[in-house]
Amino acid sequence: MSTMISRRALVGGAAAGAGLLLSGCDKIVQNESFRKVLFSADNVHRWTQQALSNRNSLAKEFRPDQMSPVFRANGTINPGTPEFTAMVADKFANWRLKVTGLVNRPLDISLAQLKTMPARTQITRHDCVEGWSAIGKWHGPVLGDILKTAGLKDNARYIVFHCADLYRGKNYYESVDLFDAFHPQTILAWAMNDAPLTVPHGAPIRLRAERLLGYKQAKYVMGVEAVASLDGIGQGQGGYWEDNVEYDSYAGI
């Protein structure tokens, strides 16, 4: 844990929180009330939360009877490009997930192949920055398993998702760091509420990284790229909304 903290200089308000660990105040950090106050502060970077969190702690999962009767579709509801429209028409038979970048074995995975992979099912709450939440059931392979198959190179630090939907004429993109990429609840979901994903909800697959806010859950995923730095991705902040609206939930520690 102390190694993770040392990867960035502890400055400003973030240093005060992380410094508790360095000064031996583990019991305080483990106090639930303290953690709620610390992690609710708008100006606390997510890397500090990661430094103080159990790497494998899970987002809360719910019972089937707690699922929302209506689950709104966030963001784009249909990319609408000629290429995507053609994929929808043939039921994504020719869709491929490209796993590229800093990997030893680039992958080209069809939807049929993806559906045969060992998968995880989880009922979790989606929290949108627009102020609404909904509980849904998601099913798909664990991203970490796919990345292990591809074999990340030693200098890989982030996973970037390239998507079919367009914003201002450019394809949508998002990213997570390896902390979240290998979390057991980070999946590439191809089913929602016991049915294949619909187009408004991100068909054929979308990211579900359950400890992150809704805008991080990239839809219409076409490619997964391992990179050493986010500098060459958009404006370098890790995602479309981070770059254009300055959302402060970047993928990095």
Side-chain angles (χ1 to χ4, degrees):
M1 190 171 291
S2 60
T3 300
M4 293 168 55
I5 294 174
S6 67
R7 290 176 63 183
R8 281 183 181 267
L10 299 180
V11 296
L20 291 173
L21 276 183
L22 297 181
S23 62
C25 296
D26 290 351
K27 291 183 179 180
I28 296 177
V29 173
Q30 295 304 317
N31 181 278
E32 187 61 26
S33 297
F34 171 83
R35 291 166 66 89
K36 287 181 179 178
V37 171
L38 175 65
F39 296 158
S40 66
D42 290 339
N43 63 343
V44 175
H45 292 303
R46 191 164 64 86
W47 69 265
T48 307
Q49 179 176 346
Q50 290 179 345
L52 301 179
S53 297
N54 183 322
R55 177 175 292 271
N56 293 312
S57 63
L58 301 179
K60 182 177 179 179
E61 297 192 18
F62 297 82
R63 302 185 310 270
D65 63 287
Q66 295 175 298
M67 292 166 57
S68 300
V70 176
F71 197 113
R72 294 173 54 181
N74 64 306
T76 301
I77 60 172
N78 190 333
T81 64
E83 297 80 7
F84 187 81
T85 300
M87 287 190 288
V88 173
D90 71 5
K91 299 181 179 179
F92 299 103
N94 294 312
W95 171 89
R96 295 291 186 276
L97 175 68
K98 307 285 188 179
V99 182
T100 61
L102 298 175
V103 297
N104 295 311
R105 296 173 293 277
L107 304 178
D108 187 289
I109 307 170
S110 70
L111 185 58
Q113 291 172 324
L114 195 81
K115 290 182 176 181
T116 67
M117 294 179 177
R120 177 185 173 88
T121 301
Q122 54 203 28
I123 301 176
T124 53
R125 188 179 68 196
H126 178 103
D127 292 312
C128 182
V129 293
E130 295 173 346
W132 59 270
S133 298
I135 296 172
K137 185 178 185 179
W138 307 96
H139 178 83
V142 175
L143 175 62
D145 292 343
I146 294 174
L147 296 177
K148 289 174 185 176
T149 300
L152 293 186
K153 294 186 177 180
D154 290 343
N155 56 335
R157 293 292 180 270
Y158 303 91
I159 304 300
V160 179
F161 303 90
H162 300 282
C163 305
D165 47 334
L166 302 177
Y167 281 78
R168 298 181 182 177
K170 295 183 179 181
N171 288 91
Y172 188 81
Y173 55 96
E174 253 305 338
S175 70
V176 296
D177 59 19
L178 299 189
F179 186 105
D180 287 311
F182 283 93
H183 188 269
Q185 287 175 313
T186 299
I187 67 175
L188 294 180
W190 57 264
M192 174 187 175
N193 295 349
D194 297 316
L197 275 182
T198 63
V199 169
H201 285 105
I205 67 169
R206 70 177 295 167
L207 174 68
R208 293 302 309 178
E210 302 299 353
R211 298 196 300 180
L212 304 181
L213 290 173
Y215 74 90
K216 298 291 288 186
Q217 319 296 334
K219 297 160 59 174
Y220 315 113
V221 176
M222 302 293 294
V224 174
E225 180 186 10
V227 299
S229 169
L230 296 175
D231 290 345
I233 307 300
Q235 298 175 38
Q237 300 304 308
Y240 176 85
W241 294 112
E242 293 92 322
D243 284 341
N244 292 281
V245 189
E246 297 184 354
Y247 284 174
D248 195 23
S249 181
Y250 60 85
I253 58 176

